[in-house]
């Protein structure tokens, strides 16, 4: 089932199994007994009781449809609001949108095409609808290619706070982000799913005790980039009141897909679908079983079945009557076309452990080293943004800058981590902060997470611990494999993060452990930031730059400001 190039060891497979078992153990939080019945305009919904981290009983409404199933003729179409239902909907189901998972033990197409559901969690045993609590909404990550709330955004930590928590599914990969670069399939259906879910929340959350005039939109990684996109899209204006992006913005290289039609045609050719016209190609792709469609995306991967990281993602739309975005994100920021509400954005110190740590754990560093000249442009996500004649020069310069003349091995894994941290996460984030703060009057806050979790993820087995991409997310909305009982310092940090989320939602001003958090000053080149080094070491600092901007700006990568 797995490709030989993976060279997976039994140890890694066993560790991943532990990951799944821990998630199963965590289900002790789910009591499952019937709870409140809520009436909403679509029909009646019954929840179930679950336990928060502290043992507090809360009510979960899991799996409420917000759109018609995007199947058959509705595949590749904009989401359509759900119809009413007659009987009581027992909301006790979790869904994962169809996607390709490149991991051992769960390799291949997983999920369902009928997946557009929301999950509402209320910190009460009995929900009356009169609670009027602040609402925290989370968009899960996964490179726009995979993921689900069930596995990437658990409620058990945040339900110890006085907020209503909501998460939702959105279409992923080719099913959510196919674009024919015209009116046939303009693209961004996954983001349009998100906007429709947000509208459903705005319209219905009052019935669950949430305040529709106080909605905090949060997201991790691709979810974080999605949050930033909602600041830039007229379709989302007014649907939230403040935002929080953990390790992602609309300016990340993986957050904008170039040449989507060419990628669509490659998949279509793999499936023997015609590419003579976008209409006939799309009609053919609509008839292909979902699993075959997802498997056909493998024709675009060049390394480990997940490089390039985002083969289908957000695009600048070139057709349609109501685009999500019709201009590049950087241009929208520079022109001030930004929803003006507060924004919190962040990075971790060792963001690049994803993917560098995964490559090392899967025993493929030697393959990356040997094949650098062949696949480096895809690994650096420049294959569509650097002229073909310049790509070898760019990947050679990047390798020389970070790795000198050394081979890529476990011994210098953190040189590779730094490369990915700068290119994939930190420098685009800095660019987004500077452009965003210049475009709005509302405050922008930034934190830098350097704390190393006591719980180390099994996917980084044998690697020196670091502050990895998504580690700060794991202690706010638990990701699969987060242990049901945290060690002392991780628990303290978790309480800081849930306290921050609650305070930000209630006051519009974020804080950690009572430290005064200064916003970014638009008049200064230095950026104020909150460094979170440990539960007892949180302080304000400043930086001039997050990484070697001069080096990266010298390279002919045509993205963001270089598009103009």
């Amino acid at each position: 089932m797995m490709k030989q190039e993976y060279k997976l060891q039994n140890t890694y497979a066993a560790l991943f199994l532990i990951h799944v078992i821990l998630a199963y153990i965590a289900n002790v939080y789910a009591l499952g007994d019937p709870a409140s019945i809520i009436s909403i305009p679509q029909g009646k919904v019954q929840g179930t009781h679950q336990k928060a981290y502290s043992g507090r009983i809360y009510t979960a409404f899991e799996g409420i449809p917000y759109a018609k199933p995007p199947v058959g003729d509705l595949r590749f179409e904009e989401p359509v609001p759900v119809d009413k239902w007659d009987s009581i909907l027992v909301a006790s189901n979790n869904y994962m949108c169809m996607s390709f998972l490149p991991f051992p033990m769960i390799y291949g197409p997983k999920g369902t095409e009928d997946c557009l559901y929301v999950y509402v969690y209320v910190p009460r045993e009995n929900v009356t609808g009169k609670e009027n609590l602040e609402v925290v909404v989370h968009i899960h990550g996964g490179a726009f290619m995979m993921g689900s709330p069930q596995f990437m955004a658990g409620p058990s930590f945040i339900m110890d706070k006085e907020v209503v928590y909501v998460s939702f599914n959105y279409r992923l990969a080719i099913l959510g982000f196919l674009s024919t670069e015209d009116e046939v399939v303009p693209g961004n259906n996954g983001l349009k799913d998100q906007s429709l879910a947000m509208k459903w929340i705005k319209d219905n959350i009052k019935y669950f005790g949430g305040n529709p005039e106080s909605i905090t939109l949060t997201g991790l990684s691709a979810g974080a980039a999605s949050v930033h996109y909602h600041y830039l899209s007229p379709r989302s204006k007014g649907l939230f009141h403040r935002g929080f992006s953990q390790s992602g913005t609309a300016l990340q290289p993986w957050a904008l897909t170039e040449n989507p039609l060419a990628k669509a045609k490659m998949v279509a050719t793999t499936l023997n679908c015609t590419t003579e016209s976008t209409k006939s190609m799309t009609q053919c792709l609509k008839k292909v079983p979902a699993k075959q469609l997802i498997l056909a995306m493998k024709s675009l991967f060049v390394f480990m079945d997940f490089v390039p990281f985002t083969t289908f993602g957000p695009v600048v739309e070139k057709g349609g009557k109501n685009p999500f975005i019709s201009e590049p994100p950087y241009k929208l920021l520079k022109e001030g076309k930004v929803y003006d509400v507060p924004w919190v954005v962040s990075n971790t110190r060792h963001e690049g452990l994803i993917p560098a740590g995964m490559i090392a754990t899967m025993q493929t560093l030697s393959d990356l080293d040997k094949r650098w000249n062949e696949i480096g442009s895809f690994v650096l996500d420049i294959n569509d943004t650097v002229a073909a004649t310049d790509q070898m020069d760019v990947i050679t310069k990047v390798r020389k800058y970070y790795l000198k003349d050394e081979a890529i091995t476990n011994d210098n894994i953190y040189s590779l981590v730094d490369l990915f941290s700068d290119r994939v996460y930190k420098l685009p984030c800095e660019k987004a902060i500077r452009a965003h703060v210049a475009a709005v009057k509302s405050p922008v806050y930034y934190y830098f997470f350097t704390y190393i979790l006591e719980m180390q993820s099994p996917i980084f087995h044998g690697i020196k611990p670091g502050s990895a991409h998504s580690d700060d997310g794991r202690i706010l909305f638990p990701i699969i494999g987060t242990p049901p009982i945290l060690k002392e310092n991780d628990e303290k940090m978790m309480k800081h993060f849930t306290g921050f989320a609650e305070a930000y939602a209630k006051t519009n001003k974020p804080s950690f452990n009572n430290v005064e958090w200064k916003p970014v000053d638009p008049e200064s080149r230095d950026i104020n930031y909150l460094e979170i080094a440990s539960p007892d070491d949180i302080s304000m600092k400043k930086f001039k730059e997050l990484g070697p901007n001069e080096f990266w700006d010298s390279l002919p990568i045509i993205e963001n400001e270089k598009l103009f």
Side-chain angles (χ1 to χ4, degrees):
M1 181 172 67
M2 300 293 293
K3 286 185 176 181
Q4 280 300 113
E5 78 176 77
Y6 276 68
K7 304 175 186 175
L8 290 171
Q9 296 180 334
N10 290 334
T11 303
Y12 179 72
L15 284 168
F16 193 87
L17 184 58
I18 290 172
H19 220 83
V20 176
I21 291 171
L22 284 171
Y24 176 78
I25 292 172
N27 281 336
V28 297
Y29 293 127
L31 302 179
D33 56 305
S36 303
I37 296 176
I38 303 298
S39 292
I40 62 176
Q42 295 84 30
K44 292 183 177 181
V45 184
Q46 183 171 34
T48 60
H49 285 136
Q50 296 183 12
K51 278 187 181 181
Y53 182 81
S54 68
R56 176 185 193 173
I57 305 300
Y58 64 89
T59 303
F61 301 88
E62 297 181 308
I64 307 171
Y66 68 86
K68 292 181 179 180
V71 300
D73 288 340
L74 293 182
R75 180 188 283 181
F76 306 135
E77 302 295 332
E78 290 192 15
V80 179
V82 69
D83 292 329
K84 294 182 179 180
W85 55 84
D86 296 325
S87 58
I88 295 174
L89 174 68
V90 179
S92 60
N93 295 302
N94 279 276
Y95 300 84
M96 179 170 65
C97 285
M98 178 68 70
S99 60
F100 181 84
L101 301 183
F103 309 113
M105 308 298 290
I106 52 171
Y107 182 87
K110 304 294 178 184
T112 176
E113 203 173 352
D114 176 5
C115 65
L116 299 184
Y117 296 87
V118 297
Y119 309 86
V120 182
Y121 303 93
V122 186
R124 297 287 187 275
E125 285 192 55
N126 297 301
V127 181
T128 66
K130 299 178 181 179
E131 291 81 3
N132 201 40
L133 299 173
E134 272 69 31
V135 182
V136 174
V137 179
H138 187 73
I139 305 174
H140 73 78
F144 299 104
M145 297 290 290
M146 64 186 80
S148 71
Q150 179 185 15
F151 295 121
M152 303 185 75
S156 60
F157 296 160
I158 196 69
M159 276 296 94
D160 279 325
K161 298 299 180 181
E162 286 290 286
V163 299
V164 172
Y165 173 55
V166 189
S167 57
F168 53 79
N169 302 96
Y170 56 97
R171 281 173 287 178
L172 303 166
I174 191 170
L175 288 165
F177 292 95
L178 176 78
S179 172
T180 57
E181 300 187 44
D182 59 16
E183 71 284 351
V184 176
V185 185
N188 293 329
N189 283 326
L191 291 171
K192 293 168 184 175
D193 292 344
Q194 294 178 12
S195 283
L196 183 60
M198 290 159 60
K199 186 178 187 306
W200 185 96
I201 294 164
K202 177 82 170 175
D203 292 343
N204 291 281
I205 203 63
K206 62 184 177 183
Y207 303 108
F208 298 89
N211 180 0
E213 300 307 317
S214 181
I215 296 174
T216 304
L217 187 63
T218 74
L220 171 66
S221 195
S226 297
V227 169
H228 199 204
Y229 266 115
H230 290 297
Y231 279 81
L232 305 178
S233 175
R235 295 177 68 132
S236 303
K237 188 175 182 179
L239 298 181
F240 64 105
H241 305 90
R242 64 200 67 83
F244 172 33
S245 294
Q246 287 182 290
S247 297
T249 75
L251 299 192
Q252 312 302 131
W254 42 265
L256 187 67
T257 298
E258 297 85 11
N259 302 321
L261 178 56
K263 296 175 174 67
K265 286 182 175 181
M266 287 181 67
V267 172
T269 300
T270 301
L271 293 166
N272 295 317
C273 282
T274 179
T275 59
E276 289 184 3
S277 72
T278 56
K279 184 175 181 179
S280 58
M281 179 183 72
T282 301
Q283 288 301 317
C284 180
L285 291 175
K286 281 188 174 187
K287 297 175 182 178
V288 175
K291 287 186 177 181
Q292 290 183 27
L293 186 63
I294 292 296
L295 277 172
M297 291 193 310
K298 290 179 64 177
S299 62
L300 299 175
F301 295 128
V302 300
F303 184 59
M304 292 180 64
D305 283 347
F306 67 77
V307 176
F309 306 121
T310 304
T311 52
F312 291 94
V315 299
V316 176
E317 294 175 47
K318 298 179 180 179
K321 297 179 180 179
N322 188 16
F324 185 86
I325 60 165
S326 56
E327 296 178 295
Y330 189 86
K331 186 171 187 286
L332 293 170
L333 286 165
K334 295 303 288 185
E335 292 178 353
K337 297 177 180 177
V338 186
Y339 182 40
D340 197 348
V341 295
W343 186 39
V344 176
V345 62
S346 69
N347 286 114
T348 69
R349 173 180 283 172
H350 304 114
E351 295 270 21
L353 274 168
I354 294 179
M358 296 169 63
I359 296 171
T361 303
M362 290 182 175
Q363 303 296 304
T364 51
L365 282 178
S366 61
D367 288 340
L368 178 60
D369 181 65
K370 294 173 185 175
R371 300 179 61 200
W372 182 261
N373 288 348
E374 173 194 351
I375 64 175
S377 62
F378 295 93
V379 172
L380 297 179
D381 202 350
I382 63 168
N383 53 297
D384 288 319
T385 54
V386 172
T389 53
D390 293 331
Q391 288 183 12
M392 183 60 68
D393 182 55
V394 170
I395 64 175
T396 300
K397 286 180 177 177
V398 170
R399 176 168 179 150
K400 180 78 171 179
Y401 187 91
Y402 286 91
L403 294 152
K404 312 306 180 195
D405 296 317
E406 299 177 2
I408 302 173
T409 68
N410 271 313
D411 293 334
N412 62 0
I413 184 66
Y414 269 82
S415 295
L416 191 63
V417 169
D418 289 343
L419 187 163
F420 283 126
S421 295
D422 290 345
R423 167 62 182 157
V424 179
Y425 301 105
K426 288 159 60 175
L427 298 188
C429 184
E430 178 186 343
K431 198 179 295 288
I433 291 170
R434 295 188 185 280
H436 192 109
V437 75
V440 298
K441 295 180 180 179
S442 298
V444 175
Y445 301 87
Y446 178 75
Y447 76 71
F448 195 58
F449 186 80
T450 63
Y451 173 65
I452 298 175
L453 296 178
E454 294 178 295
M455 56 170 166
Q456 282 299 301
S457 171
I459 64 174
F460 301 137
H461 176 61
I463 301 169
K464 178 184 175 182
S467 302
H469 177 67
S470 81
D471 275 358
D472 53 337
R474 295 176 67 196
I475 50 176
L476 180 54
F477 306 117
I479 295 172
I480 183 172
T482 300
I485 304 298
L486 301 179
K487 293 183 178 180
E488 181 180 2
N489 283 329
D490 284 0
E491 183 174 292
K492 286 182 181 179
M493 189 62 79
M494 177 270 287
K495 290 179 179 178
H496 285 331
F497 267 86
T498 55
F500 144 71
E502 181 182 41
Y504 184 38
K506 289 183 175 181
T507 68
N508 237 26
K509 187 175 181 180
S511 65
F512 265 94
N513 200 27
N514 298 317
V515 176
E516 182 185 1
W517 190 350
K518 297 179 182 178
V520 176
D521 182 355
E523 303 300 323
S524 174
R525 286 298 301 169
D526 293 343
I527 290 184
N528 297 325
Y529 73 97
L530 190 74
E531 181 171 335
I532 304 173
S534 79
D536 302 313
D537 185 4
I538 301 173
S539 60
M540 283 301 305
K541 296 185 178 180
K542 295 183 178 183
F543 70 79
K544 292 189 180 298
E545 61 177 14
L546 273 173
N549 285 305
E550 184 177 357
F551 167 72
W552 283 97
D553 287 344
S554 72
L555 302 175
I557 305 175
I558 310 304
E559 60 189 18
N560 294 325
E561 74 279 9
K562 291 184 180 179
L563 287 170
F564 314 102

